[in-house]
């Protein structure tokens, strides 16, 4: 208890300083042209970023040359192979050498880039990142953290795990709490994040056995972890201002994330249909255009594009496979912010500090049966 | 394979005929006044419903007398006790005799009402219903089915289990598929429902071990179950027109349901804020009022109010605790529709038919470990 939360309080660097980002140009649904367009968009907005771009050299050279001033800021790494969306993680690990994804992650491993960004297959990217970057000492399961539009002042909540691993036991959930709190501090500037554990009710007797154990472990770690634990939260709290970080296993997190995205899209579509119904409503829509654009901007999934892999020796940002140039640019912006805040070192320090606690917790984690009726 | 789907093809009764619905007047967030108001709303719209209302006699007599013509259609059952939202299911079972919830369920048990409707504590209502009505022969875990606004012609998809039990193994998931298909046929009029199994991806190698087993069991049951199996679906498919029934365990279903509701509410709030931003946008909002109301009606959670308990010897509809009179009236309407379609008998027949298959499946269900990286 000698250390406080200060060791990863967000630091805004006074000198800009150039950040190098490694980008996998392949594997996205819209091909390398959309990704290069996203790089160009970021480059224009932020003069402090330089890029290492991975993919077939000739095609990338041609695409990059089309964007004014971009070639001076990009280094191209030739990689002929592509990991597709249908490749299984196991196959990828055996055959990935020579692919753009492998090459992009290896730039971080070699230390020539601070973060890798890829639109490719999530399972393959995580498997590859684990093999090439290795887990941080003390981390059992790495996690994917994603951002959720919320009513909080910072505009977003962090949820993890969003799908790195379908399993998580109590000590893993504790680790997610620590890593998520660190991310909220460094990525969102929340000084003392509040952490909640996702469950089917807020009462202590609810949920699976591992959730009841994690509930105690996380409560005990508040002081050393530099966060406040708010206890169990429910699906409806994901966008709420009750918590900044939501901890859950990767199965539940993935379902919640896609359900939220799907619901927002449904409401958006219904809204469009409602305004297209009659001449008067079409006229109203024209007048309401500014308001509707304001709404769209707040819930645009492209603005929150980027799942961050936590718990590895190096940073990797997973962009949506369907990301267009705006989405790719948002993922690069997130990568840049995390690199500038020195997040990776702070997270590593935090995890090392907690490793002893987690090991202790692992020892206590006797397997037990699920709870009764929720 | 001698029986076909015809045994529970929806039947629209030509003669109206009176339906008796048992209503628990207590346990909702807004007290008995809101529930009696909901009963009055239903009574006015539908002359074919009669009610047995459970709660403190004096208070209910007074509330019902205030609504013109309502007392002739209601029978009051005095019950002084109330199950609160904080009562644990275990406590409830021991102490529930004499509560309005117990009394409401017992009206169905005694055969004097076709369906019970309650706004009370979900866990307690399910525990009580299981004790008093008993599970249908062949059913291992009863489930709660709820409706999800969707792009399908019927306007809704069915999801189950929404939170009756946090666990479900492969044979349970098969049973949910059969019961959900039967509900979609009888409650939504979908002749040959399509069934999907909720998972973190649509590829066959994804997800937990029990999902891979259920995937095979459900595929094998399509013919006898009178449904089409579309395979794995993801969170984003819940409101889609790819499937009519979504099968999942009660933990995941509860999280998805509340996440969807929370997201729809967030988007709605953002929409209001966007329109309140400036004078011009306020003016646009006035013009757009019809369109906005049309939208609100489509996503109004009160319109889809009512989780149906499946797998018991009798029908129970769980209304939202926060339901106002419109919400209560929607739950009663759902209860009426199900009673009129003869759903309970059809479901029982369907389950009995499938019981042999399920038993066989149970025997095959060797416990095994989870799958690898999702």
């Amino acid at each position: 208890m000698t250390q406080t939360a200060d060791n990863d309080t967000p630091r805004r660097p006074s000198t800009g300083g150039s950040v190098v980002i490694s980008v996998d140009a392949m594997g996205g649904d819209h091909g390398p042209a959309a990704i290069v367009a996203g790089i160009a968009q970021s480059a224009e907005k932020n003069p402090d970023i330089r890029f290492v771009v991975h993919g077939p050299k000739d095609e990338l050279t041609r695409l990059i040359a089309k964007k004014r001033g971009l070639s001076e800021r990009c280094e191209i790494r030739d990689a002929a192979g592509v990991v597709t969306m249908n490749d299984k993680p196991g196959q990828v690990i055996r055959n990935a050498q020579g692919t753009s994804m492998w090459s992009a992650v290896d730039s971080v491993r070699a230390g020539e880039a601070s973060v890798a960004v890829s639109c490719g297959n999530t399972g393959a990217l995580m498997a590859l990142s684990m093999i090439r970057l290795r887990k941080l000492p003390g981390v059992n399961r790495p996690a994917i953290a994603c951002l959720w539009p919320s009513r909080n002042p910072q505009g977003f909540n962090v949820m993890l795990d969003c799908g790195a691993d379908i399993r998580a036991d109590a000590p893993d959930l504790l680790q997610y709490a620590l890593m998520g709190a660190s991310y909220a501090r460094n990525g969102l500037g929340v000084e003392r994040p509040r952490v909640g554990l996702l469950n089917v009710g807020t009462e202590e007797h609810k949920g699976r056995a591992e959730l009841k154990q994690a509930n105690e472990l996380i409560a005990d770690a508040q002081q050393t972890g530099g966060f406040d634990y708010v206890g169990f939260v429910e699906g409806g709290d994901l966008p709420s201002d009750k918590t900044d970080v939501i901890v859950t296993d990767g199965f539940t997190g993935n379902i919640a994330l896609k359900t939220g995205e799907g619901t927002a899209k449904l409401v958006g579509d219904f809204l469009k249909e409602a305004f297209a119904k009659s001449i008067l409503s079409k006229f109203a829509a024209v007048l309401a255009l500014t308001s509707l654009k304001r709404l769209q901007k707040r819930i645009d999934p492209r603005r929150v594009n980027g799942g961050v892999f936590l718990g590895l020796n190096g940073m990797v940002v997973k962009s949506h496979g369907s990301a267009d140039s705006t989405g790719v640019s948002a993922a690069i912006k997130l990568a840049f912010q995390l690199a500038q805040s020195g997040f990776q070192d702070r997270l590593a320090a935090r995890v090392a500090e907690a490793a002893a606690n987690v090991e202790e917790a692992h020892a206590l984690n006797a397997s037990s049966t699920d709870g009764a009726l929720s």
Side-chain angles (χ1 to χ4, degrees), chain A:
Chain A
M1 227 89 64
T2 49
Q3 283 186 287
T4 70
D6 294 326
N7 69 341
D8 66 345
T9 300
R11 181 181 43 175
R12 301 268 171 247
S14 49
T15 59
S18 173
V19 165
V20 179
I21 292 176
S22 167
V23 183
D24 171 10
M26 311 304 287
D29 300 350
H30 303 302
I35 292 168
V36 170
I39 293 175
Q41 223 167 292
S42 297
E44 201 168 311
K45 280 193 214 148
N46 193 329
D48 291 332
I49 314 181
R50 295 185 52 78
F51 303 89
V52 187
V53 190
H54 309 260
K57 191 163 189 178
D58 292 350
E59 192 174 1
L60 291 184
T61 308
R62 197 168 42 74
L63 288 168
I64 290 171
K66 278 191 202 160
K67 307 279 176 186
R68 199 158 52 87
L70 192 59
S71 32
E72 294 97 80
R73 303 197 23 209
C74 293
E75 198 173 307
I76 299 171
R77 285 292 150 76
D78 190 34
V82 176
V83 176
T84 72
M85 287 295 172
N86 299 322
D87 288 340
K88 294 189 191 184
Q91 297 171 335
V92 170
I93 292 168
R94 285 189 295 278
N95 309 315
Q97 211 159 354
T99 64
S100 58
M101 189 184 275
W102 174 288
S103 180
V105 171
D106 258 25
S107 276
V108 173
R109 179 185 155 109
E112 62 175 354
S114 303
V115 196
V117 174
S118 174
C119 294
N121 181 330
T122 309
L125 183 61
M126 180 49 101
L128 243 171
S129 301
M130 279 174 67
I131 297 275
R132 299 305 290 163
L133 300 177
R134 301 260 162 217
K135 294 188 278 186
L136 275 175
V139 168
N140 179 36
R141 297 185 208 273
I144 302 175
C146 58
L147 296 175
W148 199 280
S150 86
R151 295 185 175 88
N152 270 320
Q154 71 270 19
F156 301 101
N157 292 341
V158 176
M159 181 171 80
L160 74 170
D161 174 23
C162 293
D165 197 317
I166 54 173
R167 294 156 302 181
D169 55 23
D172 296 325
L173 295 169
L174 167 60
Q175 210 146 50
Y176 295 173
L178 292 163
M179 297 197 297
S182 191
Y183 180 30
R185 257 193 302 276
N186 293 284
L188 297 176
V190 181
E191 214 167 303
R192 195 173 172 88
R194 292 158 305 161
V195 173
L197 182 59
L198 191 60
N199 198 353
V200 294
T202 55
E203 301 90 344
E204 291 210 347
H205 66 276
K206 290 213 167 174
R208 298 179 181 139
E210 72 266 25
L211 289 176
K212 291 174 204 171
Q213 289 168 27
N215 187 42
E216 289 177 22
L217 292 180
I218 299 174
D220 291 346
Q222 294 181 75
Q223 203 57 37
T224 43
F227 61 83
D228 291 324
Y229 181 53
V230 300
F232 289 137
V233 295
E234 300 183 75
D237 295 321
L238 290 172
S240 84
D241 56 5
K242 225 170 108 174
T243 183
D244 304 296
V245 177
I246 297 110
V247 170
T248 188
D249 65 272
F251 184 89
T252 311
N254 176 287
I255 301 282
L257 178 68
K258 289 179 182 165
T259 300
E261 286 176 348
T263 308
K265 187 156 181 342
L266 181 81
V267 176
D269 289 352
F270 280 2
L271 187 65
K272 268 182 220 147
E273 284 170 36
F275 275 112
K277 203 91 182 181
S278 70
I279 299 210
L280 182 65
S281 63
K282 277 182 197 159
F283 178 61
V286 173
L287 277 180
L289 211 60
T290 322
S291 308
L292 292 177
K293 286 220 166 127
R294 205 176 289 138
L295 170 70
Q296 200 184 19
K297 207 173 164 190
R298 275 184 94 169
I299 61 165
D300 187 349
R302 297 178 306 175
R303 282 185 67 231
V304 291
N305 186 30
V308 178
F309 290 7
L310 300 179
L312 302 168
N313 290 301
M315 280 193 285
V316 177
V317 172
K318 163 69 175 81
S319 163
H320 250 297
S322 62
D324 59 7
S325 59
T326 307
V328 171
S329 162
I332 292 172
K333 186 181 169 189
L334 177 64
F336 173 77
Q337 282 173 336
L338 290 173
Q340 269 220 328
S341 73
F343 174 53
Q344 179 64 27
D345 293 343
R346 293 163 189 276
L347 180 71
R350 177 68 69 189
V351 167
E353 184 189 340
N357 303 0
V358 171
E359 234 159 72
E360 197 181 316
H362 255 296
L364 289 168
N365 179 41
S367 75
S368 62
T369 57
D370 285 354
L373 191 86
S374 67

